[in-house]
């Protein structure tokens, strides 16, 4: 695995950090987890973040063209469980950053399960 310098890391995460900061979410540590480590083939970026109070947050960044529907809610919950096993701790917050349209039923299901949608 290639080690990245600080400047390379900052430029890779800058758009994500800017979107999070615009919503008032500030994290002191942000680590990317490769989807292959969890056995996932989806085009998704997974982050394990720690906020200023020391609570863990799971951040999913999804860039797809098709609409996010109800079956995706179950898929993201399954990915979250795998991520919790991989990092060996539970997440207090869950953030889903979408570039795709979102079905109204899926939006309600995400909010009911405690996801913050950006």
């Amino acid at each position: 695995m290639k080690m990245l310098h600080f400047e390379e890391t900052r430029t890779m995460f800058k758009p994500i950090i800017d979107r999070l900061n615009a919503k008032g979410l500030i994290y002191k540590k942000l680590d990317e987890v490769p989807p292959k480590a969890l056995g996932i083939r989806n085009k998704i970026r997974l982050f394990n973040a720690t906020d200023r109070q020391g609570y863990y947050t799971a951040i999913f960044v999804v860039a797809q063209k098709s609409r996010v529907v109800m079956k995706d809610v179950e898929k993201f919950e399954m990915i979250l469980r795998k991520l919790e096993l991989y990092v060996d701790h539970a997440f207090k917050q869950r953030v889903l950053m979408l570039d795709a349209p979102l079905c109204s039923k899926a939006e309600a299901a995400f909010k009911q399960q405690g996801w913050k949608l950006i």
Side-chain angles (χ1 to χ4, degrees):
M1 177 184 257
K2 179 184 170 192
M3 294 299 294
L4 298 175
H5 296 287
F6 176 73
E7 287 298 319
E8 291 175 314
T9 305
R10 191 170 79 179
T11 56
M12 284 176 41
F13 293 162
K14 184 163 177 34
I16 295 167
I17 292 170
D18 289 344
R19 275 180 74 182
L20 291 169
N21 288 345
K23 295 292 184 176
L25 301 171
I26 299 173
Y27 298 101
K28 65 180 179 180
K29 186 175 179 186
L30 187 68
D31 297 323
E32 186 167 9
V33 177
K36 286 187 179 182
L38 305 178
I40 300 168
R41 294 179 51 192
N42 297 55
K43 292 186 178 184
I44 184 172
R45 292 182 74 185
L46 306 170
F47 294 94
N48 175 22
T50 308
D51 65 8
R52 292 182 285 184
Q53 288 81 26
Y55 295 118
Y56 294 106
T57 303
I59 302 172
F60 290 18
V61 179
V62 179
Q64 66 185 33
K65 294 178 184 175
S66 61
R67 179 182 295 255
V68 176
V69 294
M70 280 298 292
K71 71 174 185 169
D72 294 326
V73 176
E74 297 166 5
K75 178 176 69 173
F76 289 137
E77 282 293 322
M78 184 259 322
I79 293 171
L80 179 68
R81 300 296 164 244
K82 286 184 178 184
L83 183 61
E84 286 176 345
L85 291 174
Y86 180 77
V87 295
D88 198 30
H89 60 72
F91 293 100
K92 183 163 179 85
Q93 296 178 344
R94 307 163 183 177
V95 176
L96 180 61
M97 296 176 66
L98 291 171
D99 289 336
L102 181 63
C103 168
S104 61
K105 290 180 182 177
E107 181 178 5
F110 275 124
K111 289 183 178 181
Q112 181 183 13
Q113 293 179 2
W115 288 85
K116 185 169 194 160
L117 303 172
I118 298 177

